[in-house]
Amino acid sequence: QVQLVESGGGMVQPGGSLRLSCAPSGFTFSSYAMSWVRQAPGKGPEWVSTIHTGGGDTYYADSVKGRFTISRDNAKNTLYLQMNSLKPEDTALYYCARRTGWGSYDYWGQGTQVTVSS
């Protein structure tokens, strides 16, 4: 069955960096666009970034553009999110999701917590 397992979250000070990873299984990873979506406490889900199948096309929310970088290694079946210059407002549960269309996802991971605090 399809599974997505995120890792790499943690607590970091403002200005710090983290790299999230997502390990998919149960489907042909290279055939799907993938996204990162986050949810802060008390708020709804917020799309963060999307990468298309080959890795050449990437898209970012304005709130993270220039600070976050999405990438994928189809040979290693892994999705990444490099997060730099982290801000307290980046605190959230970060999910990787398999994208099926504009704003549409059919599978999500369990999430990895990112906390940015001094």
Side-chain angles (χ1 to χ4, degrees):
Q1 70 279 20
V2 173
Q3 283 191 311
L4 301 168
V5 180
E6 301 95 336
S7 61
M11 181 175 286
V12 64
Q13 292 187 339
S17 298
L18 284 173
R19 187 169 94 152
L20 307 184
S21 299
C22 173
S25 60
F27 67 101
T28 304
F29 175 62
S30 59
S31 296
Y32 288 85
M34 299 293 296
S35 294
W36 288 96
V37 179
R38 67 186 182 186
Q39 186 163 17
K43 297 187 177 180
E46 175 191 16
W47 169 75
V48 174
S49 183
T50 293
I51 186 167
H52 283 189
T53 54
D57 294 323
T58 58
Y59 306 89
Y60 299 93
D62 287 344
S63 57
V64 307
K65 200 173 293 182
R67 300 187 297 121
F68 290 11
T69 303
I70 191 171
S71 62
R72 65 192 296 161
D73 187 332
N74 286 340
K76 294 183 178 180
N77 257 27
T78 308
L79 176 72
Y80 302 101
L81 185 68
Q82 177 67 44
M83 305 186 297
N84 298 329
S85 302
L86 283 161
K87 304 176 181 180
E89 51 263 43
D90 294 318
T91 295
L93 194 57
Y94 283 72
Y95 299 91
C96 69
R98 192 173 79 170
R99 186 177 180 271
T100 55
W102 183 257
S104 177
Y105 313 97
D106 60 354
Y107 288 96
W108 300 67
Q110 83 290 347
T112 186
Q113 179 67 41
V114 171
T115 302
V116 185
S117 174
S118 55

